[in-house]
Amino acid sequence: MAAFDNKHVLPNILITGTPGTGKSSLAQLAAEKLAPKGFKYIDVTALIKDHECHEGMDEEFNSLIVDDDKLLDVMEELLTNGGCIVDYHSCDFFPERWFELVLVMTVNTELLYDRLIARGYDTKKVNENMECEIMKVVLDSAKESYAEEVVQDLPSNTTEDMESNMVRIESWIDHWVANFKENHKTDYI
């Protein structure tokens, strides 16, 4: 396994939030727009399924029981070189050293309710996700798990919000890369 030393030229970005907040839409858009710069999209839910990083299905919650250790082993290899846009609804079990930016998508609860219903979620799953968003569970978890300056709360109510968020991500990356190169000049000689 490669050592994770945070000396990668491109940052790793985690886009997280309650299901229905627009994290996957933004993560996919960001990965698409940033692919020419070397970024790639990582859908953690797909990794869990593809690499069998689970211990079966939790029938009560209709979700996979994640094997955190196995998932982290798979992900560490992928994130070591940087340039990853990671999409997942949770964030508290990822090592802090993996991400230079953690974006928590938030949304108006009326919009969230409509989005979850449109997905065909059952009443229990809708209520659970609504409660998580109302109580700011993912945002609080991110703030407890990562340095304050790394976590950003982004609204995701409209297409204009998505466009604005994409501009913010691009600007942040440009700044981060310039700063990284300035601080690591001797690495390029």
Side-chain angles (χ1 to χ4, degrees):
M1 185 181 308
F4 203 97
D5 65 6
N6 285 71
K7 288 187 99 178
H8 39 261
V9 177
L10 295 175
N12 288 320
I13 300 170
L14 173 62
I15 300 180
T16 189
T18 304
T21 56
K23 70 188 162 304
S24 296
S25 297
L26 181 61
Q28 291 168 359
L29 175 65
E32 180 183 311
K33 289 187 99 173
L34 298 168
K37 292 183 178 183
F39 283 87
K40 60 185 177 273
Y41 174 69
I42 297 178
D43 176 349
V44 176
T45 300
L47 279 181
I48 291 167
K49 293 174 185 174
D50 295 346
H51 293 272
E52 298 181 1
C53 300
H54 61 86
E55 300 167 354
M57 184 66 93
D58 180 329
E59 299 301 330
E60 180 184 355
F61 291 101
N62 191 28
S63 62
L64 293 172
I65 302 166
V66 178
D67 180 336
D68 294 350
D69 292 333
K70 188 172 183 181
L71 176 61
L72 294 175
D73 288 344
V74 169
M75 288 185 67
E76 181 138 24
E77 290 295 319
L78 297 172
L79 275 77
T80 298
N81 295 321
C84 295
I85 307 287
V86 178
D87 169 6
Y88 197 53
H89 65 268
S90 183
C91 62
D92 57 350
F93 65 96
F94 297 130
E96 183 177 7
R97 71 183 185 281
W98 281 7
F99 300 105
E100 286 74 31
L101 181 62
V102 176
L103 303 174
V104 181
M105 308 306 295
T106 58
V107 69
N108 175 296
T109 53
E110 289 83 15
L111 290 172
L112 179 61
Y113 179 84
D114 293 343
R115 291 175 185 180
L116 297 175
I117 293 298
R119 288 182 176 193
Y121 283 15
D122 63 34
T123 303
K124 181 176 182 167
K125 201 164 189 169
V126 169
N127 290 340
E128 176 185 308
N129 286 306
M130 292 293 296
E131 183 177 324
C132 283
E133 187 64 9
I134 291 166
M135 301 301 292
K136 304 272 185 225
V137 171
V138 179
L139 181 59
D140 288 347
S141 178
K143 288 179 176 180
E144 291 170 6
S145 301
Y146 300 92
E148 182 179 339
E149 65 273 7
V150 171
V151 178
Q152 298 292 314
D153 176 5
L154 298 180
S156 181
N157 297 304
T158 64
T159 54
E160 291 81 12
D161 286 343
M162 184 177 291
E163 293 165 4
S164 172
N165 291 337
M166 192 60 235
V167 168
R168 287 176 70 181
I169 291 169
E170 290 175 303
S171 175
W172 182 88
I173 288 170
D174 290 344
H175 177 75
W176 189 91
V177 168
N179 190 46
F180 179 87
K181 287 181 178 178
E182 178 65 26
N183 291 328
H184 294 88
K185 281 181 182 177
T186 58
D187 295 346
Y188 298 101
I189 296 175

